[in-house]
Amino acid sequence: MTTAAAGGADEALPADRQPSGGTSVPAPRKGGPAPSGSPGARGRRSVTGTRRVIAALFLLPALVLLGALVVYPIVYSVYRSFFDQAGTGFAGIDNYKALFTDDTIRTAVKNNAIWVVFAPTVATALGLIFAVLTERIRWGTAFKLVVFMPMAISMLAAGIIFRLVYDQAPERGVANAVWVGVHDTFAQSAGFPKAHPLPVHPLKAAGGGAFVTKTPVRAGQPVHLPLVGVLPAKMPGDAKPARAPGPASGGEITGTAWLDFTQGGGGRPNVIDARELGLKGIKVEAVKDGKVVASATAGADGTFTLPASADGAGLRLPASNFKEPYNGVEWLGPTLVTPGIIGSYVWMWAGFAMVLIAAGLAGLPRELLEAARVDGANEWQVFRRITVPMLAPVLAVVLVTLMINVLKVFDLVFIIAPGSSQDDANVLALQLYRSSFGTDADLGVGSAIAVLLLLLVIPVMLFNIRRIRKEGRR
């Protein structure tokens, strides 16, 4: 007690009145730094309890890799963008001027703008719809798995798949097969594009691709309309062997239109042979004084019947019978190649958006949704006024992530767009590749494109960082 009290009394005395034999060290000021020679300064620790020197040693490999793989390429790309193609002469800003004067690069910039606006928006919207709807169906998890499955394949594989999907030939391209099927449901497609008569046939050219009989037809006299030039494989699948028309009654005109060709040889012209097929669906018109007075369509066996008003008329096979069949849409042509490739991107990334949005949807307070329903809000009002606003942070994450992703899209455009349309589908990442590699590579322009891509990505990244910090302060 006496010693402690004495020690306490000594500490209470001013410094100039401390006992001369004392060995105590002056205490540091409250809130001030420790003296440089103190043990606390030598072993200062971070908030996590790790010494700063040790932390710096652990971070050094990562910093070296970051500098070698990120910082150095960026700095060198900026430096190289101010030199000419050979890299020996200073070009100033000429490479950057080329970005806005070269037609090919301007097309790439325009297409990138289209990608940034539409691809993330459509993918996010579909992801939101899928996430909301899968909460209400029994097999929601299985549906999510199917929608997310395209994310498991590479961009290269997806490009090959959609190159086949968009194939112009309906027998190979799924998109055109569906489109042609819908078209043919509402509009009859011509089936005999290269059909024509032989000189010995009773038909002659009538102009505009039509054919007409050489002489007028008469009631009671069967009419023969033979044609050639149709491949047997292109004949209608339900076409039947041609046969002579039945007896006419009441002044009607009857006849047969058929393919006057026998596989394997044989047969006689202008004569219906047993193995020759009828031209099912071909249209026949009776024309008098330049006006159509009657028309008929041949059946599966090629036979047709015209009313008595056709007596004395010339029979015409109109040009509509011989037009090229509807072959669908040129998905990979100059007009639709960019929307088509964006469709393949949405197919891949809508599942990614759906999974993230579904995770955010699972965290929404259900009592708010139920309270809105109790207050009389319908499902659309609940979705628009409560669900979407509360999912805004998640939607922003998905949208910004996809925007950064589409700025560097390369694989899909390179694989899907054919050579004839690649300039029309060009994007900055593809143009960067084309400018930087090959026999006529211009690394100056390629580096300028790389710097432009970096400048386009930076605002999106800054927006994302600000949003993350704002969320962290809440």
Side-chain angles (χ1 to χ4, degrees), residues 99 102-114 338 422-428:
L99 302 183
D102 185 90
D103 290 339
T104 303
I105 302 178
R106 287 170 60 186
T107 301
V109 173
K110 181 193 71 174
N111 287 339
N112 258 106
I114 295 173
T338 295
Q422 200 164 83
D423 285 343
D424 300 286
N426 199 15
V427 291
L428 286 173

Side-chain angles (χ1 to χ4, degrees), residues 465-474:
I465 293 171
R466 290 182 60 186
R467 186 198 57 76
I468 292 173
R469 288 180 176 176
K470 185 177 179 180
E471 291 293 325
R473 288 194 297 266
R474 290 182 177 178

Side-chain angles (χ1 to χ4, degrees), residues 90-456:
F90 185 74
I93 61 172
D94 290 347
N95 292 326
Y96 291 96
K97 289 181 180 178
L99 302 183
F100 303 98
T101 56
D102 185 90
D103 290 339
T104 303
I105 302 178
R106 287 170 60 186
T107 301
V109 173
K110 181 193 71 174
N111 287 339
N112 258 106
I114 295 173
W115 272 87
V116 169
V117 171
F118 289 100
T121 304
V122 175
T124 304
L126 284 177
L128 176 62
I129 294 172
F130 290 156
V132 172
L133 293 182
T134 49
E135 281 202 333
R136 300 177 175 274
I137 61 176
R138 183 176 181 183
W139 300 98
T141 303
F143 180 81
K144 289 179 183 178
L145 179 63
V146 171
V147 175
F148 188 75
M149 195 175 295
M151 285 293 298
I153 65 176
S154 66
M155 287 281 206
L156 175 64
I160 294 173
I161 290 171
F162 274 86
R163 182 66 181 266
L164 295 174
V165 168
Y166 291 136
D167 196 290
Q168 182 67 32
E171 60 268 19
R172 292 194 301 270
V174 176
N176 261 349
V178 174
W179 192 268
V180 170
V182 173
H183 173 272
D184 291 349
T185 301
F186 300 97
Q188 184 65 35
S189 181
F192 314 104
K194 299 185 183 299
H196 61 276
L198 292 174
V200 297
H201 287 160
L203 290 165
K204 64 180 180 178
F211 300 100
V212 65
T213 54
K214 296 176 180 177
T215 58
V217 297
R218 297 296 176 185
Q221 298 177 359
V223 182
H224 287 178
L225 302 177
L227 293 172
V228 295
V230 183
L231 293 175
K234 297 293 184 181
M235 289 290 289
D238 53 351
K240 297 180 179 179
R243 66 177 181 85
S249 60
E252 294 178 336
I253 303 296
T254 59
T256 303
W258 81 98
L259 179 63
D260 195 13
F261 173 79
T262 302
Q263 293 190 56
R268 295 165 295 169
N270 291 330
V271 175
I272 301 174
D273 296 303
R275 290 184 293 167
E276 295 174 346
L277 298 176
L279 296 173
K280 180 191 176 184
I282 197 168
K283 187 177 181 181
V284 183
E285 295 176 341
V287 181
K288 285 184 179 180
D289 300 325
K291 296 182 180 180
V292 178
V293 296
S295 63
T297 301
D301 55 3
T303 58
F304 61 88
T305 302
L306 291 167
S309 58
D311 187 18
L315 296 191
R316 182 175 65 184
L317 300 177
S320 58
N321 291 313
F322 311 109
K323 290 181 180 179
E324 290 291 335
Y326 183 70
N327 205 33
V329 177
E330 192 178 1
W331 296 103
L332 299 181
T335 305
L336 295 177
V337 62
T338 295
I341 300 173
I342 290 177
S344 66
Y345 177 89
V346 170
W347 175 76
M348 285 195 67
W349 288 88
F352 167 82
M354 178 197 65
V355 170
L356 292 187
I357 296 172
L361 195 61
L364 293 184
R366 300 296 169 175
E367 58 270 14
L368 292 181
L369 304 179
E370 295 301 326
R373 294 186 180 100
V374 170
D375 289 341
N378 56 36
E379 292 302 320
W380 169 247
Q381 291 172 327
V382 171
F383 173 76
R384 184 167 60 92
R385 297 183 178 274
I386 298 178
T387 304
V388 173
M390 295 186 71
L391 284 175
V394 179
L395 296 177
V397 170
V398 175
L399 197 61
V400 170
T401 303
L402 294 181
M403 287 176 67
I404 296 174
N405 187 266
V406 299
L407 280 172
K408 55 185 181 180
V409 66
F410 166 79
D411 316 62
L412 291 177
V413 181
F414 184 72
I415 298 298
I416 296 177
S420 59
S421 301
Q422 200 164 83
D423 285 343
D424 300 286
N426 199 15
V427 291
L428 286 173
L430 177 59
Q431 185 59 39
L432 171 62
Y433 169 79
R434 295 167 69 178
S435 298
S436 302
F437 300 95
T439 56
D440 58 343
D442 189 338
L443 292 180
V445 174
S447 299
I449 296 173
V451 174
L452 177 61
L453 275 173
L454 176 65
L455 294 177
L456 292 176

